[in-house]
Amino acid sequence: MRKIGIIGAGPAGVFAAINIKNENNQVYLLDKNNQIGEKLKITGNGRCNVTNAKYYDEFLENIIRNKNFLYSAFSRFDNFSMIDFLNKEGIETVIEEDGKVFPKSSRSSEIICLFERLIREKGIRFIPKTEVENIEKSDCFLLETSRGKYEFDSLIIATGGRTYLKTGSTGDGYTFARSFGHKIINTKASLMPLYLEDRINVKALSLSDKKLCLKTMEKTYEIRGDIMLTPNFITGPAAIKIQALAARDHLKILSIDFLPEYTYEMLDKKLISIFEDNSRKNLSNVLNLLLNDQLVSILLDRLKINKDMKVSEVSREDRKSILDSIKAFDLKMSQKENFDNAVITSGGVDLKEINPKTMESKLVKDLYFIGEVLDIDALTGGFNLQIAFTTAYAASLDIKEKI
């Protein structure tokens, strides 16, 4: 009877285990933690955004890097296959904004309880609190761990990336991959806030529908959406998305258009009009007709324009400076990375060395890599979890076919 070892009891590792296990094999699931799914608990703010209901092309558009690699595996187990799996196992799902799929209960614990039940029912051997210290390959895979030695005929690395270190994602999978000769694409924190080198004198300020233009050494990215300004970083859906797109670049300048609904010329005419209609009022009070008062203070402080001056005293040059600042408020970006504040790791095991149909290593027979340890990442919305489930299923099919 073949023995299958899986290192990592996150979404990818667990899903591989429950799909591999049958009467012809023994499956061992090893993890540093005391229980499965530590990272799964906190996805979707604890609600578990388990996948996304966008159709094929639109779904794959949300995979930022190496989506072509996923075509073969996705054709065998896609997002709707995952929804069907959950429904058949008694978990009702709901589709919310932007196609995000959650358990109807809005509790990640429901998904974890399902996986725990299937592990018990299928007789998968979960080995918790276990550090894998060394792996070698001869006729089989020889693992030295903190709880003894194990031998496996096939081995799956499902250790995740480097995000959320407290859940056990410390990059071990990259070390294991290198030991077998695999190349690791430089890992970067993705889906995190944009850190600023220029401090903003602001409390947390939420702003709707702003346009961001992020210039890097490599290219320029543009996106429109909601953001939140803080003194040291910018977060919110649009900021996190544009950071993910540029995660591997050298960041330079972020330019914010605070009134993207106006062209430059339209806004100039608008400013002239409201200035003419309110010439006796204070400048800050008039600008509040267009912008949040805290934002007005930020702009005028930067321009060193007296917010209490009368509109009639505003020069043509000052008006143009205000206009320029509203349409392109530039902030110098920091190169700071914070994996604990990032959702996903960009980079990982080089996909040129992985079979896209099976997730098996092209360098080492019977060695597989699945989930976040691979060099493939996506935007928020359930896409990264689906990558974990899809790659896990691909590996499970291949392993079962070999038995």
Side-chain angles (χ1 to χ4, degrees), residues 57-255:
D57 288 339
E58 194 174 0
F59 184 101
L60 292 174
E61 283 176 6
N62 285 273
I63 298 175
I64 304 172
R65 281 165 276 268
N66 295 320
K67 67 179 179 181
N68 292 356
F69 176 83
L70 207 62
Y71 287 167
S72 178
F74 199 66
S75 68
R76 289 172 172 79
F77 192 87
D78 63 10
N79 46 335
F80 293 102
S81 301
M82 188 62 198
I83 294 170
D84 288 343
F85 167 83
L86 294 172
N87 294 164
K88 287 175 182 176
E89 292 294 341
I91 293 183
E92 292 185 68
T93 53
V94 293
I95 301 172
E96 297 187 3
E97 182 185 5
D98 293 330
K100 295 176 183 177
V101 178
F102 296 88
K104 189 176 180 180
S105 66
S106 288
R107 296 197 308 269
S108 58
S109 58
E110 186 177 19
I111 304 296
I112 293 170
C113 286
L114 166 64
F115 288 160
E116 287 175 335
R117 173 174 64 80
L118 291 173
I119 286 171
R120 289 193 305 270
E121 290 177 356
K122 290 174 172 284
I124 295 164
R125 303 186 184 188
F126 176 49
I127 306 172
K129 296 183 178 180
T130 303
E131 294 264 1
V132 177
E133 298 165 349
N134 187 53
I135 308 173
E136 293 183 4
K137 173 77 186 297
S138 55
D139 293 334
C140 60
F141 292 92
L142 307 173
L143 273 65
E144 294 181 10
T145 79
S146 56
R147 299 186 65 173
K149 297 182 179 180
Y150 295 88
E151 294 185 4
F152 300 116
D153 298 295
S154 297
L155 182 65
I156 297 178
I157 307 297
T159 48
R162 296 174 57 198
T163 56
Y164 297 106
L165 296 179
K166 62 184 179 183
T167 67
S169 297
T170 55
D172 293 350
Y174 309 133
T175 301
F176 301 147
R178 287 191 185 97
S179 72
F180 286 109
H182 277 277
K183 178 182 177 182
I184 303 300
I185 303 301
N186 190 30
T187 55
K188 307 290 288 184
S190 183
L191 294 171
M192 71 171 193
L194 289 164
Y195 289 94
L196 306 174
E197 194 164 306
D198 295 332
R199 182 181 171 85
I200 305 176
N201 184 22
V202 64
K203 297 178 181 177
L205 175 61
S206 294
L207 300 169
S208 299
D209 191 27
K210 306 307 173 192
K211 183 179 178 182
L212 304 182
C213 178
L214 180 59
K215 298 175 183 177
T216 75
M217 291 288 287
E218 293 76 14
K219 62 185 298 186
T220 297
Y221 303 86
E222 290 188 357
I223 195 169
R224 189 164 165 173
D226 299 345
I227 61 173
M228 176 182 284
L229 302 183
T230 78
N232 300 308
F233 62 85
I234 300 176
T235 187
I240 287 174
K241 182 175 181 179
I242 204 169
Q243 185 281 329
L245 295 172
R248 301 191 188 186
D249 293 358
H250 186 278
L251 308 185
K252 293 176 64 181
I253 300 293
L254 177 71
S255 183

Side-chain angles (χ1 to χ4, degrees), residues 2 161 240 270:
R2 287 183 68 85
I240 287 174
K270 182 71 175 178

Side-chain angles (χ1 to χ4, degrees), residues 267-280:
L267 185 58
D268 192 22
K269 290 179 181 178
K270 182 71 175 178
L271 280 177
I272 292 171
S273 175
I274 64 172
F275 280 9
E276 288 176 348
D277 292 342
N278 299 275
S279 61
R280 296 184 180 180

Side-chain angles (χ1 to χ4, degrees), residues 344-362:
I344 202 75
T345 303
S346 179
V349 177
D350 190 345
L351 300 182
K352 293 176 183 177
E353 301 168 349
I354 303 297
N355 184 325
K357 181 179 178 181
T358 65
M359 305 301 134
E360 185 177 16
S361 166
K362 294 178 180 179

